[in-house]
């Protein structure tokens, strides 16, 4: 009875492009993806244009995902379940996206009880969950919900997808974020999550952390090695202080 709400694509710059390049190198052709909406996800999707036969099983579909389907990058040809279809719970984008998905047999909508279910996701071989966070501590825990006393986001489905990726054969969980906030005044790589900060992703849910300064592979690493790798992808002006505050050295 009224026009659907539209969300225009966010512009992104060099930082998001560098993050996207780091994430893209972790994603093989044939993988099935989950990611959200925003500057970093859109930059990642653009960086995946050289891949082949990607799949989509995600909480939502966006204009950038639509374009990769139109270009034949997302084909869902290798999915171990729901083959040939992009599986989502919702669409959020422009009127062009809404027209395109209307009665489109390549897109399959299901309730979140199916799409977000870790047991469903675990059946998808090579599942890659790509999420973001507000801050990551030197042990690999990530807070994606709260800045100080201000709640900026709910938990969402990210944790479900990360847990599903953990149980997927060949699955991977990635946290992608810029190294700083507040125009460079604050590091998003922190010594520890402050008292009262939620742990949205515990360290067992995170395989890789990616910033514009590189990729930290946390898999099967000691706490000391995790801290060293995370410091190496923090913004350079914060690294010395992170080393001084590092509890795992």
């Amino acid at each position: 009875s009224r026009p659907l709400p539209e969300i225009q694509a966010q512009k992104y710059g060099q930082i998001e492009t560098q993050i996207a390049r780091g994430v893209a190198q972790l994603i093989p052709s044939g993988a099935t993806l989950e990611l959200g909406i925003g500057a970093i996800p859109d930059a990642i999707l653009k960086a995946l244009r050289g891949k082949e036969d990607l799949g989509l099983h995600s909480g939502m579909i966006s204009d950038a995902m639509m374009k990769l389907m139109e270009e034949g990058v997302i084909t869902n040809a290798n999915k171990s379940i729901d083959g040939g279809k992009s599986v989502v719970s919702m669409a959020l984008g422009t009127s062009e996206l809404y027209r395109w998905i209307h009665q489109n047999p390549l897109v399959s909508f299901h309730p979140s009880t199916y799409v977000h279910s870790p047991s469903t996701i675990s059946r998808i071989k090579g599942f890659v969950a790509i999420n973001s966070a507000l801050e990551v501590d030197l042990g690999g825990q990530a807070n994606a919900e709260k800045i100080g006393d201000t709640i900026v986001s709910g938990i969402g489905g990210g944790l479900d997808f990360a847990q599903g990726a953990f149980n997927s054969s060949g699955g991977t969980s990635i946290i992608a974020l810029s190294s700083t906030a507040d125009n460079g005044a604050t590091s998003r790589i922190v010594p520890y999550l402050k008292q009262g900060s939620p742990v949205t992703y515990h360290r067992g849910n995170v395989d890789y952390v990616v910033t514009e300064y590189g990729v930290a592979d946390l898999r099967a690493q000691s706490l000391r090695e995790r801290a060293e790798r995370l410091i190496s992808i923090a913004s350079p002006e914060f690294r010395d202080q992170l080393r001084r505050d590092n509890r795992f050295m």
Side-chain angles (χ1 to χ4, degrees):
S1 61
R2 67 186 67 183
L4 294 172
E6 294 187 60
I7 298 292
Q8 301 296 326
Q10 294 184 24
K11 294 182 180 179
Y12 56 84
Q14 183 179 5
I15 290 175
E16 291 83 6
T17 298
Q18 290 172 328
I19 294 169
R21 289 171 181 163
V23 172
Q25 73 184 32
L26 304 174
I27 300 174
S29 291
T32 295
L33 310 179
E34 173 269 327
L35 68 173
I37 191 170
I40 291 178
D42 282 358
I44 292 169
L45 289 163
K46 183 176 181 181
L48 295 176
R49 284 181 169 166
K51 309 292 182 178
E52 297 179 348
D53 289 328
L54 295 177
L56 183 67
H57 181 103
S58 192
M60 60 165 298
I61 187 169
S62 66
D63 284 72
M65 297 171 187
M66 171 188 70
K67 290 175 183 176
L68 281 193
M69 290 184 67
E70 290 179 324
E71 293 170 7
V73 177
I74 295 176
T75 65
N76 298 294
N78 291 336
K79 289 177 72 175
S80 44
I81 62 172
D82 299 313
K85 295 183 181 293
S86 288
V87 171
V88 297
S89 287
M90 63 174 288
L92 189 60
T94 66
S95 58
E96 178 185 0
L97 171 67
Y98 303 147
R99 288 192 297 270
W100 181 80
I101 61 175
H102 179 59
Q103 297 184 344
N104 189 330
L106 300 178
V107 182
S108 183
F109 282 80
H110 294 269
S112 58
T113 49
Y114 177 81
V115 179
H116 291 66
S117 169
S119 63
T120 300
I121 298 162
S122 67
R123 295 162 56 201
I124 305 172
K125 295 179 181 179
F127 186 83
V128 181
I130 307 168
N131 294 290
S132 193
L134 299 169
E135 56 185 359
V136 178
D137 75 10
L138 294 182
Q141 298 181 126
N143 162 24
E145 303 166 59
K146 192 176 178 185
I147 300 174
D149 293 328
T150 303
I151 297 174
V152 299
S153 176
I155 296 172
L159 182 58
D160 296 326
F161 289 110
Q163 290 175 331
F166 179 81
N167 291 306
S168 161
S169 175
T172 302
S173 174
I174 301 169
I175 298 293
L177 74 169
S178 59
S179 66
T180 63
D182 302 324
N183 296 316
T186 305
S187 177
R188 292 188 187 273
I189 306 296
V190 297
Y192 52 87
L193 300 184
K194 296 180 178 62
Q195 184 175 1
S197 295
V199 179
T200 311
Y201 303 94
H202 66 73
R203 61 188 185 224
N205 291 135
V206 181
D207 294 317
Y208 298 94
V209 176
V210 182
T211 74
E212 69 270 29
Y213 291 102
V215 177
D217 183 351
L218 305 184
R219 298 172 301 169
Q221 299 302 314
S222 67
L223 287 172
R224 178 172 180 171
E225 184 60 31
R226 282 170 167 256
E228 291 174 352
R229 294 185 179 198
L230 286 163
I231 290 170
S232 75
I233 64 167
S235 187
E237 64 268 30
F238 294 104
R239 292 177 189 172
D240 287 344
Q241 186 63 50
L242 286 168
R243 291 187 181 98
R244 288 191 290 269
D245 293 339
N246 181 10
R247 300 170 297 161
F248 303 124
M249 296 297 286

